[in-house]
Amino acid sequence: MNIVFAASEVAPFAKTGGLADVCGALPVDLHLAGHNVAVIMPAYRQVKASGLPIEPLGVKFDIPIGNKIVRGRLLRGVLPGSDVPIFFVEQDDYYDRPELYRQKGEDYKDNCERFVFFCRAALESIRLLHLQVDIIHCHDWQTALIPLICTSNTPTRTAMRTSPRC
């Protein structure tokens, strides 16, 4: 089975809690069980500071957010101790921040916009990377729009050019 994990945090790259632990371990176990697995997450400042090998792919994309177009690009690494690829959505205005979701106890005011971008960018990344997908495994509220985008017949879905199998 072809499985893509979409998650806002993955250990050891970026972590605030148990979600990162699950999203760092489960893809490796599924790969060992014979599945084709890939992971997509934001390229936070913590990801770049992790010391783990990450390389740019030379893949750029434009995502509609409200009345503007936001550019992103893809980086690639692997989950440590495995061959599982992990793709990072880079957009420094959204993700190059001191913490993942908040600073000094206050949520970032643009969190909704940041993760709408991530959901759309994850789907566009799947298309641009020609990933075969049977399941998109979405984790927590930050990826909750992915199933909605995949199942809607809206201009957003058309603009994102997602697969009918999404």
Side-chain angles (χ1 to χ4, degrees), residues 65 108-118 141 145:
I65 299 293
Y108 293 124
K109 292 187 185 318
D110 64 346
N111 270 348
C112 289
E113 182 176 322
R114 295 169 72 216
F115 292 104
V116 167
F117 173 83
F118 176 66
W141 68 266
L145 287 178

Side-chain angles (χ1 to χ4, degrees), residues 28 63 111:
V28 174
I63 302 296
N111 270 348

Side-chain angles (χ1 to χ4, degrees), residues 18-157:
L19 173 64
D21 295 326
V22 169
C23 293
L26 185 55
V28 174
D29 287 346
L30 288 171
H31 177 73
L32 292 173
H35 299 287
N36 184 27
V37 183
V39 179
I40 301 175
M41 73 170 288
Y44 300 110
R45 182 182 297 177
Q46 295 82 347
V47 168
K48 295 174 183 179
S50 70
L52 296 165
I54 298 168
E55 62 187 19
L57 286 179
V59 176
K60 296 179 182 176
F61 47 83
D62 293 321
I63 302 296
I65 299 293
N67 61 358
K68 63 184 175 182
I69 301 294
V70 180
R71 171 146 295 182
R73 73 179 192 141
L74 289 176
L75 311 175
R76 185 187 188 283
V78 295
L79 289 175
S82 78
D83 295 327
V84 176
I86 181 165
F87 300 98
F88 302 97
V89 173
E90 184 177 56
Q91 209 306 315
D92 286 345
D93 291 338
Y94 289 148
Y95 307 122
D96 185 17
R97 299 181 182 189
E99 298 182 42
L100 303 190
Y101 312 118
R102 59 177 51 196
Q103 188 172 9
K104 298 179 183 175
E106 295 287 325
D107 287 350
Y108 293 124
K109 292 187 185 318
D110 64 346
N111 270 348
C112 289
E113 182 176 322
R114 295 169 72 216
F115 292 104
V116 167
F117 173 83
F118 176 66
C119 290
R120 291 177 174 172
L123 292 172
E124 185 67 356
S125 299
I126 290 168
R127 185 186 74 80
L128 292 170
L129 295 169
H130 306 287
L131 298 178
Q132 298 298 309
V133 179
D134 296 311
I135 295 173
I136 301 175
H137 202 298
C138 300
H139 295 272
D140 220 331
W141 68 266
Q142 298 91 341
T143 60
L145 287 178
I146 291 174
L148 179 65
I149 294 168
C150 287
T151 59
S152 66
N153 285 322
T154 65
T156 298
R157 180 172 185 225

